[in-house]
Amino acid sequence: MSRILLVTAVTAEADAVCAGMMGPWQPRATASGVPAASGASGTGTPSRGSAPSWDRQLLTAVRIGPYLGRRSGAVTVLAAGAAGPAAAAGTATALATAHAAGDPFDLIVSFGVAGGFAGRANVGDLVVADALIAADLGAESGVDTSPGEPAQSPAPSASSDFLTLEQLGLGASMLAPREDAVQALVDVLSGTGRAVRTGPVLTVSTVTGTDRRAAALALRFGPAAEAMEGYAVATAAAAYGTPFAEIRAISNAVGRRDRSSWDLPGALSGLSAAAAALAAGIDTLTAAVRTSGSAGRAEPAGPTPAGTS
């Protein structure tokens, strides 16, 4: 059986995902008008007029080391915690547990809400990452002001005063999922009725709260969205040679922090719709990643041409 692990940050995201997988199912009446169970006479075999097991998609609690996840068919959902360290720890634990049990995952997806960059992703859109970038993992290298000297405020630039992991000789700042996996996800999500965008998704330790920082990140990376876990999830997946991806539902615009303009309920609804589509299209997805034969690739981070799909 093909297996997918969906890694969210918080329980609210995991709940939205699980709601999408379960769907609006209600017991269907049998020919006699009595609601059917999972099978005729308790045999487990679907009877005429009853819902097949996949249609019901019941959730089962599963222990993943110290974590408690939820599973429905081939899809396991894990709320690993917010930000990179928690996401990496949870993902690595799930991968190690699955490998030890001889039932490894075929695809790992970082899944949750995010901020969208102007011109790339709007509130309500779904974003499929074609690059997962550690946007603030590196070192500052700017010229500081002398005591008593007024602080300078240069205009945002793509080069500026930040050194990436590549420039520091410490590794890759970007992990790129397989192109065929990205396309398969876009195809599957297109059935949700929501706009589906592709582009780099930034992983940050501090969420952007000013227009100035948003402009600087946009110039440097040409991103579609900003979140806190994708790069960490991909790092754990790549260590096991497991294909990875990132899907984000946009709840707000990246820039000045204004909670009144956010649409978290709409973004969580988007996660539900995306999860339902993934559950239905799991065979298509895993076929794409299996034929590729590779988890993804590491690349230096840098400006990416803006565009949407």
Side-chain angles (χ1 to χ4, degrees), residues 38 63 67 72-73 98 117 198 214 231:
S38 61
R63 178 61 64 180
Y67 301 92
S72 177
F117 282 86
T198 58
Y231 177 86

Side-chain angles (χ1 to χ4, degrees), residues 63-74:
R63 178 61 64 180
I64 306 173
Y67 301 92
L68 187 64
R70 285 172 278 182
R71 182 172 180 176
S72 177

Side-chain angles (χ1 to χ4, degrees), residues 155-177:
S157 65
S159 53
S160 72
D161 55 359
F162 181 79
L163 298 176
T164 65
L165 292 181
E166 290 87 356
Q167 291 169 313
L168 295 169
L170 297 177
S173 296
M174 182 179 83
L175 296 172

